[in-house]
Amino acid sequence: HDVARIASERLPAHLAAIPGGPLKAPAKALAEAFRLTDDDIFRALGSRVEFSGSTGVVVMLDPARRTLHVGNVGDSRAVLGRCVGGKWSAEALTDDLKPDHPEEKRRILQSGGVVLALVGEDGEDVGPARVWDSPARQKPGLAVSRSLGDGASRRLGVIAEPVVTTRRLSPEDRVLVIGTDGLWDTIESEHAVRIAGELLDSGSHGAAAKALFDAVRHEEGGMLMDDTTFVLVAL
């Protein structure tokens, strides 16, 4: 996927190029890096970016302050796994930025967009809310309210500006799972961090990744129905 490839190359490069480093002003650095990366995507792909885009989550660790700074566009998700007394729990560090989120929907409507689900064969709404250019629901049909690329949706209020959050780490915070919706639409967050956390704690990084993929395949009947990409980080 060209958009995702460009984003994976350019976002880290833009963060690394910030004078004084991105941790000097994390929120400003993340916003600027996402903006410049979006510009790179449009410049590289031209008209091909009209109906092509990507979600994006960036997590920066400030080791001196034991703090995470998270920038997010779209519905990929960063989830923190905590272990207290041998029991794992999950804490989402990002919100899924969907078109029917109240603040997101307001911006889309003010920009002339329409937020509705797909129409099924029986005339009833099916699936998640999407962004359309008219009530006819013919295009673009994007199911997120922020993204990189997606030129046809940009004029309808879909933006590339990340939502930035900060979280100070505690000794109980043990694992970070950053993944696309193919993971989170299939597996509950607490299940994912328990699978990953128990294996990462034993040093089995490869086994942790395989176990998560296997869990998704099991829930999907032996297949991966959607993009399932994730990163595991032992803290």
Side-chain angles (χ1 to χ4, degrees), residues 34 56-59 69-80 91-97 101 162-167 176-180 184 189:
F34 271 83
V57 178
V58 174
V59 180
H69 302 282
V70 186
N72 176 50
V73 297
D75 59 358
S76 292
R77 193 183 303 170
V79 173
L80 191 63
E91 178 184 337
L93 301 180
T94 57
D95 288 327
D96 294 347
L97 298 170
H101 185 290
V163 173
V164 178
T165 55
T166 298
R167 170 65 153 75
L176 179 64
V177 184
I178 309 167
T180 60
W184 306 116
S189 296

Side-chain angles (χ1 to χ4, degrees), residues 24 39-40 49 51 61 63 85 99 101 123 136 139 142-143 146-147 154 160 162 164 167 170 177 207 218 222-223:
K24 184 177 181 180
D39 290 345
D40 292 338
V49 81
F51 298 100
L61 170 65
H101 185 290
K139 59 182 175 61
L142 191 66
R146 303 188 188 211
S147 70
R154 193 54 48 83
V164 178
R167 170 65 153 75
S170 69
V177 184
H218 176 75
M223 301 176 65

Side-chain angles (χ1 to χ4, degrees), residues 61 173-176 200-201 205 232-235:
L61 170 65
D173 299 326
R174 305 278 282 278
V175 62
L176 179 64
L200 286 174
D201 261 4
H205 292 70
L232 305 178
V233 182
L235 299 171

